[in-house]
Amino acid sequence: MSEAELVLRSTRVITPEGIRAASIAVTGETIAAVLPYDAPVPAGARLEDVGDHVVLPGLVDTHVHVNDPGRTEWEGFWTATRAAAAGGITTLVDMPLNSIPPTTTVENLRTKRAVAADKAHIDVGFWGGALPDNVKDLRPLHEAGVFGFKAFLSPSGVDEFPHLDQEQLARSLAEIAAFDGLLIVHAEDPHHLAAAPQQGGPKYSHFLASRPRDAEDTAIAALLAQAKRLNARVHVLHLSSGDALPLIAEARAEGVQVTVETCPHYLTLTAEEVPDGASEFKCCPPIREAANQDLLWQALADGTIDCVVTDHSPSTADLKTDDFATAWGGIAGLQLSLPAMWTKARERGHGLEDVVRWMSTHTARQVGLDGRKGAIAAGHDADFAVLAPDETFTVDPAALQHRNRVTAYAGKTLYGVVKFTWLRGQRVVADGAFTEPKGQLLTRS
């Protein structure tokens, strides 16, 4: 401990053993030790005492669309990572689509990394993409360090990232299983979507009917069957249908290697509250009814759903028209994900330890970063969010850091104000003020 350069002290630190008063000794970029609260400060170390604010491990968001390069008018690494840092997120993993080029070859990955290198305010990793014609590129991308591969089972919304049919899914999944990679899947069945009523217009009820739960349920069932047959690792993205939960639990009991995420908007917003024409609430799959939301919360509590991520997917404001059929489908949530989740979690009797498990510990584990991220423990990166959990604020879009300040949370009063964010031992956000970018580009171990 004599070499510690920083001691971060609080009466409430979330550790793997629970919340306790502690002093966190930091050497360089790494946590050296978690000490008793009143442990002597080593000579030469700087003490940062945050009083009763809660110190939690920096969040790890494994589902973010940065859109850079190619659609930088929608978002970019500079703005997305600032928004993340402001919300206590210290690591994100960028999705392979909505940027041009998509991250579907090693060359395209190099392009993405070159763009991100000097703009990242937090640590950034990358997913690869699985397309109908790029099976040959999957192993090279894996060897180049992507954390896994994303596929769509229905149209993605952008022409440069086509979806997989069941035969193409089987080919890609077999290749990925051969090197023990991970396939993460947008699971909606295109046939069920095509058969659903497509009325368009401003009524949210019409949009909800156009993306029925059985489209998710059918696609998830097919994915689980493929994963079982091929002994492959799969991850279900942005689960919104509570009806799929028994399928997932049964598959797990049979030994299928499947993990599941959901998103803050499915857990905090309901179909009943979406005004007609308010396409800032549009995402695919959609925000569903309150009774369905109850099932998602129950599945989080019992472990059927592993983690919570933002699926941050912004666009320019002009694409958020009042016609739900044609408006861009995506919710920008990086900066607000922690307070939104904490606000609803506390209402339902959950603690901050639960939120940390869903949004940091389990997400770090999903991408193999659990030896570095997701916990306040010796040997981990010194990534912290300092939260005032009982303070509230009202969401003002003008105060948000993502590029196009459209939000489904506008005007909502939320609990939990992020006071400081630390990245690998350096404070990168303090009361809304930012340092220059200090993020690193991460690769799969």
Side-chain angles (χ1 to χ4, degrees), residues 17 91 163 173 200 222 329 353 378 400 407 443:
E17 295 76 35
T91 303
H163 69 285
L173 193 54
E353 310 100 301
L400 300 177
T407 175
T443 56

Side-chain angles (χ1 to χ4, degrees), residues 75-101:
E75 188 63 286
F77 282 102
W78 183 278
T79 49
T81 58
R82 275 172 68 99
I89 298 166
T90 52
T91 303
L92 67 79
V93 187
D94 174 59
M95 282 291 162
L97 74 156
N98 298 350
S99 59
I100 301 173

Side-chain angles (χ1 to χ4, degrees), residues 59-326:
L59 302 188
V60 178
D61 190 344
T62 55
H63 193 149
V64 179
H65 295 269
V66 178
N67 307 338
D68 195 5
R71 289 191 174 94
T72 52
E73 70 275 16
W74 292 18
E75 188 63 286
F77 282 102
W78 183 278
T79 49
T81 58
R82 275 172 68 99
I89 298 166
T90 52
T91 303
L92 67 79
V93 187
D94 174 59
M95 282 291 162
L97 74 156
N98 298 350
S99 59
I100 301 173
T103 316
T104 52
T105 67
V106 171
E107 181 180 357
N108 292 357
L109 173 63
R110 291 193 189 106
T111 298
K112 180 77 70 81
R113 288 175 61 86
V115 170
D118 61 352
K119 299 176 183 175
H121 288 82
I122 63 170
D123 289 352
V124 174
F126 302 92
W127 295 106
L131 302 184
D133 62 354
N134 82 327
V135 173
K136 68 183 185 306
D137 296 300
L138 300 178
R139 187 181 290 269
L141 277 165
H142 177 76
E143 292 171 351
V146 299
F147 286 90
F149 302 90
K150 181 175 187 177
F152 278 77
L153 301 185
S154 58
S156 71
V158 292
D159 293 340
E160 67 274 5
F161 205 97
H163 69 285
L164 305 181
D165 63 25
Q166 288 298 310
E167 183 179 341
Q168 293 161 347
L169 171 64
R171 285 202 300 269
S172 293
L173 193 54
E175 173 68 6
I176 292 166
F179 51 75
D180 193 31
L182 175 66
L183 183 70
I184 64 174
V185 180
H186 180 124
E188 288 182 285
D189 181 79
H191 307 293
H192 282 72
L193 294 178
Q198 304 291 329
Q199 294 178 266
K203 285 192 170 295
Y204 187 73
S205 59
H206 292 169
F207 171 64
L208 187 60
S210 76
R211 315 290 297 209
R213 294 187 214 180
D214 62 9
E216 276 191 270
D217 306 338
T218 300
I220 289 169
L223 174 66
L224 295 172
Q226 296 266 33
K228 182 178 181 179
R229 181 175 66 84
L230 295 167
N231 192 29
R233 295 194 298 128
V234 296
H235 178 78
V236 177
L237 295 167
H238 46 49
L239 180 71
S240 80
S241 171
D243 295 343
L245 294 165
L247 301 172
I248 293 162
E250 181 181 355
R252 281 215 183 113
E254 294 174 352
V256 177
Q257 301 176 82
V258 57
T259 52
V260 183
E261 70 183 37
T262 192
C263 304
H265 41 272
Y266 300 131
L267 297 165
T268 66
L269 306 172
T270 62
E272 291 88 342
E273 70 184 278
V274 179
D276 288 343
S279 66
E280 62 268 28
F281 290 86
K282 179 183 176 180
C283 55
C284 298
I287 294 165
R288 303 193 187 276
E289 304 85 350
N292 180 81
Q293 186 181 93
D294 290 340
L295 297 175
L296 299 181
W297 276 103
Q298 180 181 332
L300 265 179
D302 68 26
T304 306
I305 296 175
D306 300 272
C307 54
V308 178
V309 296
T310 61
D311 190 9
H312 178 80
S313 186
S315 70
T316 52
D318 61 293
L319 297 180
K320 286 292 193 179
T321 67
D322 62 3
D323 183 343
F324 277 101
T326 58

Side-chain angles (χ1 to χ4, degrees), residues 394-411:
T394 300
V395 176
D396 175 7
L400 300 177
Q401 297 294 325
H402 61 265
R403 177 156 292 161
N404 293 282
R405 294 168 180 180
V406 176
T407 175
Y409 298 99

